[in-house]
Amino acid sequence: MDINFNKNEDHNKLLVSSLRQRLAKVKLGGGEKRIKKHHSKGKMTARERIDFLLDDHEKSIEIAAFAGEGMYEEHGGCPSGGVVVKIGHVSGKQCIVVANDATVKAGAWFPITGKKNLRAQEIAIENRLPIIYLVDSAGVYLPMQDEIFPDKEHFGRIFRNNAVMSSMGITQIAAVMGSCVAGGAYLPIMSDEALIVEKTGSIFLAGSYLVKAAIGESIDNETLGGATTHSEISGVTDYKAKDDKDALTKIQNIMDKIGDFDKAGYSHKKPALPKEKPEEIYGILPKKRSDQYDMHKIIDRLVDNSEFEEYKEGYGQTIITGYARIDGWAVGIVANQRKIVKTKKGEMQFGGVIYSDSADKATRFIANCNQKKIPLVFLQDVTGFMVGSKSEHGGIIKDGAKMVNAVSNSVVPKFTIIIGNSYGAGNYAMCGKAYDPRLIAAWPSAELAVMGGTQAAKVLAQIETASMEKKGEKVDEKKEKEVFEKLKAKYDEQTSAYYAAARIWTDGIIDPLDTRKWISMGIEAANHAPIQKDFNMGVIQT
């Protein structure tokens, strides 16, 4: 191994170590004191509930763990968006579990909480995946009600989705394990089956204080909407559980009886590990995002037996396309090549840039995968499409549009891993969040932005200094540098993988060694949902 490999390895392992430390902090939710208080009530935490419920919590993936990070600091923060979401197996059935974290503002809903819940439901709808809600929430966080209550993608959309999923035959099970108030009370009751835990669970449209204020009736919360009331008087809930573990066991028993699902029929064979060592990814991926490397070496460490059948190998070389298997599942891979390549005409093409021939190749390959019913995996490390007169005259916009069209209209499931750069229209063409990947994850090395931090800061600095000079301010070299550094620091923060994950632009930041698990679990989920329409690219410029 050369010295650069060792430097890269040290850098990337430090990034993964930082990722683990940040995840450990997130998993504490509202903090150790609040967890202790939660336990004193005889309740398990959201994560403890999920781990108990799943067959094997190690064989699960967490969605949007960093949701809300660095946001709402003036309100005390909202770790993990105040809700934990995982895809795993319950009684042998793959499902998605959504659990309110009552250690974070009593499980109250912030704007990002609503977005995360809607993302969980989106995954369930796209993949026809059973969804289990573990409810323990004080309802909408009132100081921010205007940002979560009335709009199309706000709180009310969740209940609309409950109804839509029910009509689609997607199993929904809800356990009321704590507070469930006001509008939030509809979620468990719009599920197929609802459980409630004695003494800790409660459901009502208005609590005892509001009832007293509204109609003058004096009543305690347990009598108003506790487990006995809703299991024996109102009939709102279907099962009564004596404690959290009893409720979770009942859910496991319900899931155990669910029949098999109609399969999409994606090709699956016995899984095999890569022949090349996956941990070598840390040394291959460069420390500097501007440095070149061969994406083939990354692919060899992700796919079964390190076997990759490349499509149009000698054409359009700044995008790699080909067939492989990941954990036994057949996949079509579309990856940006970050190595400078030379065409047969003797022209040099820069790595990470999409040229016309690369876009043309990718479009054809995506169409082939749709015809063969092969899920697509996009490995992003892209700075954008090639610019300049030669590219413009050659129709780069037209060829790029074809690729975007193919990605947009693809009917096979798509999965996106952001390895490095994800800039500009390259993000779109390589199946960014706006193009409906079933799952989208980023490595700690990822950056998402319109353009790189240095380039953006230079452009913005020129605009700002020109504005200052117009106002009569003196701008010397020192001032220019000061403006540039300030803008670059701000821009770099916004391009970080964590900034994107906090806003759920991605489903998570993952250790590169977990990539195979994410893709495998994603295709397993997608196999629940047979393709409903034919692939059709519509009208395209030729």
Side-chain angles (χ1 to χ4, degrees), residues 198-254:
E198 286 187 285
K199 296 180 181 177
T200 58
S202 60
I203 310 171
F204 34 68
L205 295 180
S208 56
Y209 291 122
L210 186 53
V211 168
K212 176 69 173 176
I215 63 172
E217 181 184 2
S218 295
I219 190 170
D220 63 90
N221 282 338
E222 184 65 24
T223 306
L224 180 66
T228 299
T229 295
H230 287 309
S231 297
E232 300 177 16
I233 301 173
S234 71
V236 164
T237 54
D238 306 304
Y239 306 91
K240 181 166 69 171
K242 64 177 187 285
D243 55 26
D244 282 6
K245 288 185 178 180
D246 185 37
L248 298 169
T249 301
K250 287 181 187 296
I251 294 173
Q252 291 168 340
N253 292 337
I254 294 167

Side-chain angles (χ1 to χ4, degrees), residues 9-262:
E9 184 177 46
D10 289 345
H11 173 74
N12 287 307
K13 283 187 173 179
L14 280 172
L15 290 181
V16 171
S17 176
S18 175
L19 168 64
R20 289 174 182 153
Q21 289 171 15
R22 292 172 81 148
L23 276 172
K25 184 178 179 182
V26 160
K27 287 177 181 179
L28 289 174
E32 291 179 353
K33 285 184 178 178
R34 287 179 182 169
I35 290 173
K36 189 176 179 180
K37 185 177 179 181
H38 195 75
H39 284 159
S40 71
K41 298 175 183 176
K43 297 164 71 174
M44 302 165 75
T45 65
R47 293 181 182 278
E48 289 167 347
R49 287 166 176 166
I50 293 177
D51 288 350
F52 183 92
L53 181 64
L54 296 179
D55 297 344
D56 183 350
H57 68 86
E58 293 292 334
K59 294 180 180 178
S60 67
I61 58 175
E62 183 170 353
I63 304 298
F66 288 107
E69 183 176 86
M71 301 167 67
Y72 317 121
E73 295 300 323
E74 68 276 22
H75 297 278
C78 187
S80 212
V83 63
V84 183
V85 176
K86 288 191 180 184
I87 300 174
H89 296 84
V90 177
S91 300
K93 308 289 193 308
Q94 193 183 35
C95 59
I96 186 162
V97 185
V98 180
N100 300 115
D101 186 350
T103 70
V104 179
K105 292 282 194 243
W109 289 60
F110 283 70
I112 200 68
T113 317
K115 186 173 183 179
K116 186 169 176 178
N117 275 264
L118 289 170
R119 176 61 181 145
Q121 289 185 323
E122 181 182 39
I123 292 170
I125 291 169
E126 287 179 330
N127 299 290
R128 306 295 193 274
L129 209 58
I131 185 166
I132 298 169
Y133 308 99
L134 307 180
V135 184
D136 194 346
S137 172
V140 167
Y141 183 62
L142 291 178
M144 303 188 76
Q145 65 85 27
D146 62 318
E147 296 182 46
I148 190 172
F149 172 65
D151 210 348
K152 180 179 177 181
E153 299 299 329
H154 283 177
F155 191 63
R157 187 76 173 183
I158 291 161
F159 314 135
R160 175 264 185 194
N161 287 349
N162 288 142
V164 169
M165 284 190 278
S166 183
S167 72
M168 293 171 68
I170 298 171
T171 297
Q172 298 176 85
I173 300 168
V176 179
M177 310 179 85
S179 296
C180 185
V181 300
Y186 288 104
L187 185 147
I189 311 313
M190 294 189 74
S191 299
D192 302 327
E193 294 183 273
L195 304 85
I196 189 167
V197 178
E198 286 187 285
K199 296 180 181 177
T200 58
S202 60
I203 310 171
F204 34 68
L205 295 180
S208 56
Y209 291 122
L210 186 53
V211 168
K212 176 69 173 176
I215 63 172
E217 181 184 2
S218 295
I219 190 170
D220 63 90
N221 282 338
E222 184 65 24
T223 306
L224 180 66
T228 299
T229 295
H230 287 309
S231 297
E232 300 177 16
I233 301 173
S234 71
V236 164
T237 54
D238 306 304
Y239 306 91
K240 181 166 69 171
K242 64 177 187 285
D243 55 26
D244 282 6
K245 288 185 178 180
D246 185 37
L248 298 169
T249 301
K250 287 181 187 296
I251 294 173
Q252 291 168 340
N253 292 337
I254 294 167
M255 290 292 294
D256 180 60
K257 311 303 186 297
I258 294 176
D260 205 358
F261 55 90
D262 295 333

Side-chain angles (χ1 to χ4, degrees), residues 290-308:
S290 57
D291 286 353
Q292 306 289 305
Y293 65 98
D294 189 352
M295 183 64 84
H296 288 98
K297 293 181 179 180
I298 300 290
I299 293 171
D300 287 344
R301 286 153 181 82
L302 292 177
V303 302
D304 292 12
N305 289 317
S306 300
E307 294 175 351
F308 181 62

Side-chain angles (χ1 to χ4, degrees), residues 213-459:
I215 63 172
E217 181 184 2
S218 295
I219 190 170
D220 63 90
N221 282 338
E222 184 65 24
T223 306
L224 180 66
T228 299
T229 295
H230 287 309
S231 297
E232 300 177 16
I233 301 173
S234 71
V236 164
T237 54
D238 306 304
Y239 306 91
K240 181 166 69 171
K242 64 177 187 285
D243 55 26
D244 282 6
K245 288 185 178 180
D246 185 37
L248 298 169
T249 301
K250 287 181 187 296
I251 294 173
Q252 291 168 340
N253 292 337
I254 294 167
M255 290 292 294
D256 180 60
K257 311 303 186 297
I258 294 176
D260 205 358
F261 55 90
D262 295 333
K263 295 177 177 64
Y266 302 119
S267 176
H268 188 252
K269 292 186 175 180
K270 185 179 179 181
L273 294 172
K275 285 183 179 177
E276 301 292 342
K277 296 178 180 177
E279 58 270 19
E280 289 179 354
I281 287 172
Y282 297 135
I284 295 166
L285 192 66
K287 178 178 178 179
K288 288 179 66 179
R289 295 299 330 120
S290 57
D291 286 353
Q292 306 289 305
Y293 65 98
D294 189 352
M295 183 64 84
H296 288 98
K297 293 181 179 180
I298 300 290
I299 293 171
D300 287 344
R301 286 153 181 82
L302 292 177
V303 302
D304 292 12
N305 289 317
S306 300
E307 294 175 351
F308 181 62
E309 188 68 33
E310 190 161 357
Y311 173 83
K312 289 186 179 290
E313 181 179 357
Y315 178 72
Q317 294 178 66
T318 63
I319 286 183
I320 298 168
T321 52
Y323 305 102
R325 289 188 181 272
I326 292 179
D327 200 36
W329 294 102
V331 297
I333 294 175
V334 181
N336 301 113
Q337 173 60 293
R338 282 305 308 268
K339 188 173 71 169
I340 294 175
V341 297
K342 194 173 185 180
T343 68
K344 282 191 175 181
K345 295 179 181 178
E347 297 170 334
M348 302 302 292
Q349 292 189 344
F350 297 100
V353 180
I354 302 175
Y355 289 76
S356 285
D357 53 359
S358 303
D360 177 63
K361 176 172 80 170
T363 301
R364 177 68 179 268
F365 181 72
I366 290 165
N368 281 346
C369 287
N370 274 270
Q371 187 180 55
K372 297 172 183 175
K373 205 160 76 171
I374 300 173
L376 286 159
V377 174
F378 293 82
L379 303 178
Q380 280 197 17
D381 194 344
V382 59
T383 53
F385 285 87
M386 190 59 190
V387 297
S389 61
K390 186 174 181 180
S391 292
E392 298 292 0
H393 296 171
I396 185 66
I397 296 174
K398 179 175 63 177
D399 292 318
K402 290 179 188 176
M403 184 176 173
V404 170
N405 194 312
V407 173
S408 303
N409 288 299
S410 177
V411 296
V412 295
K414 300 167 291 194
F415 302 89
T416 302
I417 305 295
I418 305 173
I419 289 174
N421 302 326
S422 181
Y423 295 158
N427 169 280
Y428 302 158
M430 291 295 294
C431 197
K433 182 69 181 289
Y435 292 81
D436 299 321
R438 296 292 176 94
L439 292 174
I440 177 169
W443 289 2
S445 47
E447 294 182 358
L448 288 81
V450 172
M451 63 179 73
T454 300
Q455 297 93 321
K458 282 180 180 178
V459 172

Side-chain angles (χ1 to χ4, degrees), residues 474-486:
K474 186 179 179 182
V475 180
D476 55 17
E477 188 176 327
K478 183 181 177 182
K479 185 65 177 178
E480 284 182 353
K481 186 178 180 182
E482 183 184 306
V483 169
F484 169 78
E485 292 296 341
K486 183 181 177 182

